Amino acid sequence: RIMKLYIMSGVSGSGKSTLAKKISESNGNAPIFSTDSLWLVDGEYYWNANMIGQAHAVNRGKVEIAMKRNTPIIIVDNTNLTWEEMLPYVELAMANKYEVEIVRPETEWMNNPAVLAKKNIHNVPQSVIEKQMSRMKSIESLHEKLGNMLKGK
């Protein structure tokens, strides 16, 4: 049986969560783990910059538990804009013998900060999205780093 970790990658509003849901539904409602879900309290979104490290640690812990339970398909739905952001998940996958696929939505608005600011569900402002876009590494460079790591380079 194939064990696979999908790592979503993209700026706020680019369609990551929509695509994650499609991947989940086409894989028997595979679990989606999102740090954003930890900011939801009674349906309201309360983001706290001081707690971001702890929130990511909790999300990684949930992913690790799912892997230890041999959940066949797992989806991580965070921005994962850089290799450093996704590396902890890649390391978990390798330690638990999961294949890894990095997925970035290809939406027609993915390079339009004004549209991204309107489409994202957490009211992330355009200025923050522009900063995300400047930090985001190309999908090709992320695939190259993943390939090198899997080959032990």
Side-chain angles (χ1 to χ4, degrees):
R1 177 163 86 159
I2 293 175
M3 310 297 270
K4 191 166 193 175
L5 174 68
Y6 289 91
I7 300 177
M8 308 308 293
S9 172
V11 300
S12 299
S14 62
K16 292 180 307 298
S17 297
T18 301
L19 186 53
K21 285 180 189 133
K22 288 180 182 170
I23 293 169
S24 171
E25 288 166 4
S26 67
N27 286 282
N29 290 319
I32 300 170
F33 295 95
S34 169
T35 301
D36 272 342
S37 68
L38 301 172
W39 306 118
L40 285 172
V41 179
D42 295 328
E44 294 287 319
Y45 190 73
Y46 297 97
W47 189 78
N48 182 335
N50 296 323
M51 302 280 298
I52 194 74
Q54 293 98 315
H56 280 292
V58 168
N59 199 58
R60 283 191 301 273
K62 289 179 170 186
V63 170
E64 184 172 15
I65 289 167
M67 287 180 175
K68 298 288 185 211
R69 296 170 114 184
N70 294 314
T71 305
I73 305 292
I74 298 171
I75 304 158
V76 174
D77 182 19
N78 293 335
T79 53
N80 292 308
L81 300 175
T82 67
W83 178 246
E84 292 73 23
E85 292 172 11
M86 60 182 71
L87 182 58
Y89 294 104
V90 173
E91 290 172 338
L92 278 176
M94 290 177 70
N96 290 282
K97 300 187 175 25
Y98 275 72
E99 291 181 11
V100 177
E101 184 172 336
I102 302 167
V103 181
R104 183 169 289 163
E106 297 285 332
T107 53
E108 57 195 47
W109 62 87
M110 65 183 277
N111 296 312
N112 185 329
V115 175
L116 291 162
K118 287 187 183 112
K119 283 196 170 278
N120 83 83
I121 60 172
H122 301 303
N123 299 313
V124 178
Q126 183 174 335
S127 60
V128 172
I129 290 171
E130 288 167 353
K131 286 179 188 155
Q132 289 178 348
M133 292 174 85
S134 70
R135 285 190 325 107
M136 183 168 62
K137 302 302 180 210
S138 75
I139 194 71
E140 295 80 15
S141 74
L142 296 173
H143 284 144
E144 182 181 348
K145 287 189 183 289
L146 175 62
N148 288 340
M149 187 163 180
L150 295 175
K151 291 177 198 157
K153 291 184 183 176

